[in-house]
Amino acid sequence: MIYVTRCKVTATLLLLVYRLLQMYSELQKCYLKEIKTNQEQSEAIKNLTIKIHELEHNLREQRQRIEQLECKKVSWKTSAVSGKRSQTPEGEVTSRRDVSKKKESCCSKYLELLLKEIKKLKKENEKLSTERRALKNELAGLDKDFFEEIEDLKHAVQESVKLNNQYEKCLKQISVMYGLPFTAHL
């Protein structure tokens, strides 16, 4: 009778240990999955940060380019309006208005191209600004709590490893005591 009771107790203990090992195994899987997710998100954060810096740099360059084009546009207008006289290489005296009339079709085409370029750059500027804001909003979703949760999971896994080792020692002792074979990993 005592032998049967001991066998039942041993079987119950073995079942409990087996369940604990299963739970530990599942916890380890969750932990590894979280680590992988954390690494992927860290990589995504790094890539998004780089992309934001690139976009900000492009935005600054485009703004400078717009300013330069607008300055050229203003200087062209002021030189055409001033009407100052100049001498051609052949010695003829002409006014800038005359020169500008001759070059008007060329300059107006150039001006149109500049205006188109300015519009294009402004659109690109708006697009880059929108994309930059979207990337910043995406990064804002990963706050300090997320990383603290990862640290908590790491700590929980370490504690469960310690507990699992203690259960394994206990199970070995019980197996030796009752003469049952023990396998370390089920």
Side-chain angles (χ1 to χ4, degrees):
M1 183 75 168
I2 294 176
Y3 177 74
V4 173
T5 305
R6 281 188 178 172
C7 287
K8 286 181 181 179
V9 168
T10 303
T12 305
L13 287 174
L14 288 175
L15 185 61
L16 286 173
V17 171
Y18 177 73
R19 285 183 186 158
L20 285 172
L21 289 173
Q22 281 181 326
M23 289 170 52
Y24 172 73
S25 176
E26 288 299 316
L27 182 62
Q28 272 187 320
K29 287 177 188 176
C30 290
Y31 174 70
L32 293 175
K33 185 177 177 181
E34 285 295 323
I35 287 176
K36 183 179 177 185
T37 303
N38 187 22
Q39 288 172 343
E40 289 171 354
Q41 288 178 343
S42 294
E43 186 68 25
I45 289 170
K46 180 180 133 190
N47 291 337
L48 290 172
T49 304
I50 290 170
K51 181 88 173 175
I52 286 173
H53 289 301
E54 288 173 357
L55 290 172
E56 287 175 342
H57 179 72
N58 288 343
L59 185 61
R60 283 192 297 275
E61 285 179 349
Q62 297 302 330
R63 284 181 179 159
Q64 289 174 351
R65 205 164 155 199
I66 288 171
E67 288 175 13
Q68 290 172 352
L69 290 172
E70 287 176 343
C71 288
K72 285 181 183 179
K73 179 178 136 183
V74 169
S75 67
W76 178 80
K77 282 184 178 179
T78 56
S79 66
V81 170
S82 68
K84 293 183 180 174
R85 298 202 176 267
S86 61
Q87 193 168 4
T88 64
E90 295 82 28
E92 296 177 31
V93 177
T94 60
S95 70
R96 288 198 180 176
R97 286 186 186 148
D98 294 336
V99 172
S100 69
K101 285 179 184 176
K102 291 176 185 175
K103 296 181 180 179
E104 186 174 320
S105 64
C106 178
C107 291
S108 65
K109 289 180 183 177
Y110 179 70
L111 183 60
E112 286 176 22
L113 289 173
L114 288 176
L115 290 173
K116 285 180 182 178
E117 182 71 17
I118 288 172
K119 286 180 183 177
K120 178 183 164 189
L121 292 173
K122 283 184 178 181
K123 284 181 183 178
E124 189 174 343
N125 186 354
E126 290 172 14
K127 178 184 165 192
L128 291 173
S129 294
T130 304
E131 189 174 349
R132 187 174 134 268
R133 272 186 249 113
L135 291 172
K136 278 193 172 184
N137 288 339
E138 192 172 331
L139 281 175
L142 301 175
D143 59 354
K144 186 179 177 183
D145 293 337
F146 169 77
F147 295 104
E148 287 178 1
E149 186 177 332
I150 296 296
E151 289 300 317
D152 291 344
L153 285 171
K154 284 181 186 178
H155 180 71
V157 167
Q158 289 171 352
E159 291 299 315
S160 66
V161 166
K162 289 178 187 175
L163 185 61
N164 187 44
N165 289 336
Q166 289 174 352
Y167 286 140
E168 202 169 299
K169 286 179 187 176
C170 183
L171 184 60
K172 282 181 186 177
Q173 290 173 352
I174 291 171
S175 295
V176 168
M177 188 184 337
Y178 292 108
L180 299 171
F182 175 78
T183 55
H185 300 287
L186 297 177

